[in-house]
Amino acid sequence: MKIRFGADYYPEHWPYTRWETDARLMSEMGLNAVRMAEFSWVKMEPTIGVFDFEWLDRAISILGSYNIKTVLGTPTATPPAWLIEQSPEILPIDSSGITRGFGGRHHNCQSNQTYRIHIGRIIEAMAKHYVDNPHVVGWQIDNEFGNSHEDVCHCSSCKAAFHQWLLRKYVDINSLNAQWGTVFWSQTYSNFEQIPTPKITLNAHNPSMLLDWKRFHSDLIVEFQQFQIDILRRICTKHFITHNFMGFSDIVDYFKLAECLDFVSHDQYPMGFFDNPQPMKQPSKLAAALDLIRGLKQKNFWIMEQQAGPTGWQILSRTPRPGQLRLWVTQAVAHGAEAVVFFRWRTCSFGTEQYWHGILPHSGNPGERYNELKETITELVPLMNEIEGASSGAEVAILYSYEQNWALEIQPHHPDLDYVEHTLKYYAAFFNTKVPVDFINASVDFSKYKLVIAPLHFLMSSEMYMQFENYIRQGGHLLLTMRTGVKNMENVCMTDRELPGEVGNLLGIEIKDYDCLREMDMGVMFHGKHYRCNKWCDIITPITAKVVATYTEDYYAGMAAITVTATGKGKAYYVGTEPDGELMDEIVKWLVETCELSSIGSAPIGVELVRRRTDKSDFIFALNHTGKVQTLNAPEDWQPMKCGSEMEPYGMSVFKIKR
Ligand code: GAL
């Protein structure tokens, strides 16, 4: 039986006598998978080299007797106290030189070779013990790489690994000096060993060094994952291997992290985290996170942690309204989740996450959340079977780049400029127009798409330039935005010509001046109407480009803000600012027209439309993210599969269209 729904289960938090009840209740609600053991190192190896899998065997077997399969997590995010006592050097050191202590989780350095010996031992023991267990189907590596990894680790092992990484990249120190521009402030190095990790200094570090540090750190995490994958692949050849990603987290290049996994999993918490100033993430942001996850391998995915109740550690989120849990699960499925595992089965009575609620409350008695999700599972499983392997059929792609994000984190220009937020403004406008969007990286063939948007493409390589050029010449529509082509890949400003450098050939523009909009916004005239824009204005001189919008204030009133140029068979668009929501919606409507993009249909504000496309049919999910009844004017060829045109608060409808 295909795994469709599951729960993150921690049997070690409850008496053994309760496990059978849990398994029965899970099976009665339609769950057929659990993820276990990702934080249970000390239970499996209570002292060094002494393994105890008896408790886990029992749990797996009880669950297995209810046809519930097990995904095991490698427990490497929680090294036990005995291990830290024995090898304190594995604790990570932050940028102020302080050793982060035992007590939370992820208190480990990822380059440390002693730690590798310890994790090698526990993973190998688990793999050998579970290779032939009929109920174990796969593995999750560690837990949420990047979570807790900011600002660590600056230990001597990481420093040496950074030097090795730099040596491989630059080969000799003079090349590094030249490419980083270390002559500035007398930072020239005479050997690699002199290069620091970016610890706290009196002033800011060299931006080229900071970018390489972020790249190194990301590569280290990918390599740390690979170390674990290699052990598992050697022993458990029939099991799948995945990892739980975190949407728009920025520490690791997720495209690289995804490469060696069988599929990507994601943790979706619509109410976010306790320190989130917003009580709820915008529906378009939830949708974008799911689309990014699908884009990492251009493949459907699992949700490994789906919000199952109110969230919070010290401070709580709101309580999901009746119907919201169902809505969010359906949204995940609509965007490509082929299995959904809820975090967590039962709310824990102790430890840091006492208020991060599971399907069951502390009491363990099934309540409204259990019932709502049980009904959701019953209605979704047949549909999931029907849409297995479906795609989005998107005609628009956003080129998403971790390196651009990192470079702009190092120098955001405007205090509020944020790569992800800027990118998501484009995404949100397509979301409002009901036009599906894929996220891609540069390895994907652009020609599959009518329109490619590459927001804030700040660092430019000649390979990227050629890829852009080929795409446009062959008929593609490429949209570039403010601060494109400013730097080379070493984070050094281009000097050989006016901005946006070589890419100006494709865009038919030059940018000789710009203005950072501190504490103000700016007027823009677009198609005869007044709008506002924020943060930054590239003041554009059109060479061959046609001006589509102009600024309306200050010394550059009347100068170009948005342009378009026909090149080869295609077109290149440039948006030299960050449009506000209203202007963005208008730009996207214009793009839909000029690029001849098809929208899924129309729906009231707050109702999301998502498409899954199979060979024979399109499945349209209508998701009401509002707390009000909404009416959908579904076209005649949309055959209702679930509910229909009248949508209850937080309700959903599904339609099928024959192709
Ligand atoms: C996730 C994490 C889980 C749990 C959950 C609630 O980020 O993977 O282990 O901690 O958050 O805080």
Side-chain angles (χ1 to χ4, degrees):
M1 199 176 39
K2 252 324 235 197
I3 292 174
R4 293 297 180 202
F5 288 95
D8 297 303
Y9 187 41
Y10 302 91
E12 69 275 27
H13 295 178
W14 304 100
Y16 163 64
T17 47
R18 167 74 194 196
W19 297 357
E20 174 104 26
T21 308
D22 283 337
R24 180 177 53 76
L25 288 171
M26 285 181 197
S27 148
E28 282 171 6
M29 78 177 279
L31 304 186
N32 63 355
V34 288
R35 179 198 61 184
M36 296 196 288
E38 81 280 11
F39 301 124
S40 314
W41 192 335
V42 79
K43 286 285 292 177
M44 293 185 285
E45 191 183 10
T47 52
I48 187 160
V50 177
F51 297 105
D52 176 9
F53 294 119
E54 198 269 334
W55 65 276
L56 188 54
D57 292 349
R58 264 212 265 177
I60 292 173
S61 147
I62 291 172
L63 291 155
S65 69
Y66 285 85
N67 290 322
I68 297 170
K69 299 288 180 202
T70 291
V71 178
L72 289 171
T74 64
T76 50
T78 47
W82 62 253
L83 194 157
I84 301 298
E85 181 185 42
Q86 180 175 323
S87 311
E89 72 277 16
I90 72 150
L91 289 171
I93 294 179
D94 68 20
S95 63
S96 47
I98 292 175
T99 301
R100 295 293 181 99
F102 177 85
R105 56 182 169 181
H106 278 300
H107 40 269
N108 59 275
C109 157
Q110 280 157 334
S111 73
N112 184 286
Q113 291 308 306
T114 309
Y115 192 49
R116 294 291 176 98
I117 294 170
H118 288 295
I119 67 174
R121 187 182 58 251
I122 181 72
I123 294 170
E124 186 159 335
M126 285 178 83
K128 285 186 172 154
H129 190 82
Y130 288 110
V131 57
D132 293 321
N133 186 311
H135 307 300
V136 173
V137 289
W139 297 83
Q140 171 189 294
I141 305 287
D142 203 284
N143 191 75
E144 293 189 338
F145 283 127
N147 183 351
S148 349
H149 292 133
E150 204 154 357
D151 199 30
V152 295
C153 167
H154 297 258
C155 73
S156 55
S157 162
C158 283
K159 192 173 173 186
F162 183 40
H163 293 160
Q164 284 304 313
W165 187 95
L166 292 170
L167 181 67
R168 277 196 299 278
K169 179 168 176 185
Y170 295 98
V171 183
D172 80 273
I173 197 69
N174 294 335
S175 160
L176 178 144
N177 281 323
Q179 295 195 58
W180 282 10
T182 54
V183 67
F184 185 81
W185 283 353
S186 213
Q187 286 170 1
T188 302
Y189 301 107
S190 35
N191 58 56
F192 283 93
E193 286 66 43
Q194 290 171 354
I195 301 169
T197 63
K199 281 198 170 161
I200 289 183
T201 47
L202 289 172
N203 302 107
H205 278 288
N206 177 321
S208 302
M209 182 261 219
L210 289 175
L211 181 58
D212 270 343
W213 170 256
K214 282 180 183 272
R215 287 173 171 140
F216 155 75
H217 193 221
S218 169
D219 285 356
L220 174 63
I221 292 174
V222 173
E223 190 266 327
F224 183 76
Q225 175 178 260
Q226 191 60 48
F227 177 84
Q228 305 200 23
I229 292 176
D230 289 345
I231 300 172
L232 292 173
R233 292 245 189 261
R234 182 162 49 79
I235 302 166
C236 300
T237 49
K238 295 198 185 107
H239 293 161
F240 65 73
I241 302 181
T242 186
H243 173 71
N244 53 339
F245 290 58
M246 301 177 287
F248 287 96
S249 165
D250 58 350
I251 305 289
V252 196
D253 183 330
Y254 271 181
F255 289 102
K256 287 191 183 174
L257 195 68
E259 264 170 35
C260 292
L261 299 171
D262 293 303
F263 57 86
V264 168
S265 299
H266 168 62
D267 296 347
Q268 181 82 338
Y269 291 105
M271 286 189 156
F273 287 81
F274 39 85
D275 56 356
N276 192 344
Q278 304 290 335
M280 242 314 284
K281 291 185 192 156
Q282 294 291 324
S284 71
K285 285 197 179 167
L286 299 177
L290 297 163
D291 284 344
L292 173 69
I293 292 298
R294 194 185 62 246
L296 297 174
K297 280 182 97 67
Q298 302 293 305
K299 186 174 166 179
N300 291 336
F301 55 91
W302 276 36
I303 299 287
M304 198 56 96
E305 297 181 15
Q306 173 77 30
Q307 183 171 339
T311 55
W313 287 1
Q314 291 81 11
I315 309 286
L316 267 73
S317 72
R318 305 245 12 227
T319 292
R321 280 12 204 178
Q324 270 187 318
L325 294 178
R326 170 180 180 249
L327 175 75
W328 295 331
V329 177
T330 311
Q331 187 189 30
V333 168
H335 284 269
E338 301 211 325
V340 178
V341 180
F342 295 100
F343 188 88
R344 51 193 288 148
W345 169 243
R346 179 171 172 184
T347 318
C348 195
S349 61
F350 44 64
T352 310
E353 296 187 346
Q354 284 161 324
Y355 298 118
W356 202 285
H357 292 71
I359 299 173
L360 300 187
H362 288 118
S363 71
N365 297 325
E368 283 314 311
R369 296 197 292 271
Y370 180 90
N371 293 336
E372 181 174 322
L373 292 175
K374 182 176 175 179
E375 277 174 33
T376 308
I377 292 170
T378 310
E379 67 185 346
L380 284 182
V381 168
L383 187 61
M384 289 162 90
N385 292 340
E386 217 176 329
I387 63 173
E388 165 113 31
S391 67
S392 68
E395 297 170 333
V396 180
I398 290 179
L399 180 67
Y400 190 78
S401 159
Y402 288 86
E403 297 204 322
Q404 307 297 342
N405 190 8
W406 293 334
L408 286 159
E409 280 173 351
I410 294 165
Q411 290 170 310
H413 297 67
H414 185 282
D416 299 329
L417 181 63
D418 180 287
Y419 175 82
V420 175
E421 292 299 321
H422 183 89
T423 301
L424 291 187
K425 287 200 163 138
Y426 283 88
Y427 181 92
F430 282 99
F431 179 91
N432 294 341
T433 323
K434 324 292 183 199
V435 172
V437 173
D438 283 349
F439 283 88
I440 59 170
N441 71 352
S443 71
V444 173
D445 177 9
F446 289 0
S447 70
K448 289 195 334 210
Y449 298 98
K450 287 188 179 171
L451 171 67
V452 171
I453 300 172
L456 292 167
H457 214 83
F458 185 56
L459 312 169
M460 185 66 72
S461 65
S462 46
E463 293 79 25
M464 199 67 242
Y465 173 77
M466 276 162 60
Q467 196 170 342
F468 284 162
E469 183 178 29
N470 288 339
Y471 173 61
I472 300 172
R473 290 212 183 283
Q474 286 160 22
H477 294 252
L478 175 71
L479 185 139
L480 298 172
T481 83
M482 53 189 257
R483 298 312 270 157
T484 289
V486 176
K487 294 201 174 185
N488 68 14
M489 297 310 289
E490 297 325 315
N491 215 3
V492 168
C493 291
M494 305 267 208
T495 51
D496 44 352
R497 54 186 283 181
E498 299 292 352
L499 290 173
E502 210 180 2
V503 89
N505 298 338
L506 307 176
L507 293 161
I509 59 169
E510 275 186 356
I511 296 162
K512 296 187 182 147
D513 203 3
Y514 41 69
D515 189 19
C516 183
L517 298 176
R518 299 296 306 270
E519 279 119 38
M520 60 171 295
D521 60 1
M522 170 55 64
V524 175
M525 178 72 85
F526 178 68
H527 289 161
K529 283 201 188 148
H530 285 278
Y531 299 94
R532 308 301 297 173
C533 66
N534 302 291
K535 296 179 193 158
W536 187 268
C537 297
D538 276 337
I539 303 165
I540 305 171
T541 307
I543 309 293
T544 55
K546 188 175 138 209
V547 178
V548 201
T550 50
Y551 299 111
T552 60
E553 291 156 30
D554 220 316
Y555 77 96
Y556 46 95
M559 300 284 283
I562 303 176
T563 61
V564 58
T565 322
T567 304
K569 293 187 204 151
K571 281 187 181 156
Y573 304 80
Y574 192 76
V575 180
T577 183
E578 186 171 289
D580 77 354
E582 223 186 317
L583 175 56
M584 192 61 105
D585 282 343
E586 290 309 307
I587 294 171
V588 162
K589 279 186 202 149
W590 169 64
L591 290 169
V592 168
E593 244 177 73
T594 59
C595 306
E596 298 178 2
L597 306 171
S598 44
S599 140
I600 297 173
S602 64
I605 293 171
V607 175
E608 178 186 1
L609 294 184
V610 198
R611 180 177 63 210
R612 298 269 79 207
R613 174 163 283 176
T614 64
D615 293 347
K616 296 189 192 122
S617 313
D618 278 354
F619 295 82
I620 310 296
F621 290 75
L623 306 167
N624 179 7
H625 289 278
T626 72
K628 298 193 185 113
V629 172
Q630 299 283 358
T631 313
L632 200 68
N633 289 321
E636 273 182 13
D637 61 334
W638 290 21
Q639 303 157 21
M641 294 179 72
K642 303 244 164 284
C643 308
S645 302
E646 190 79 352
M647 301 178 72
E648 66 206 35
Y650 304 115
M652 61 97 159
S653 300
V654 184
F655 303 86
K656 189 172 180 175
I657 317 169
K658 288 254 173 304
R659 300 215 300 135

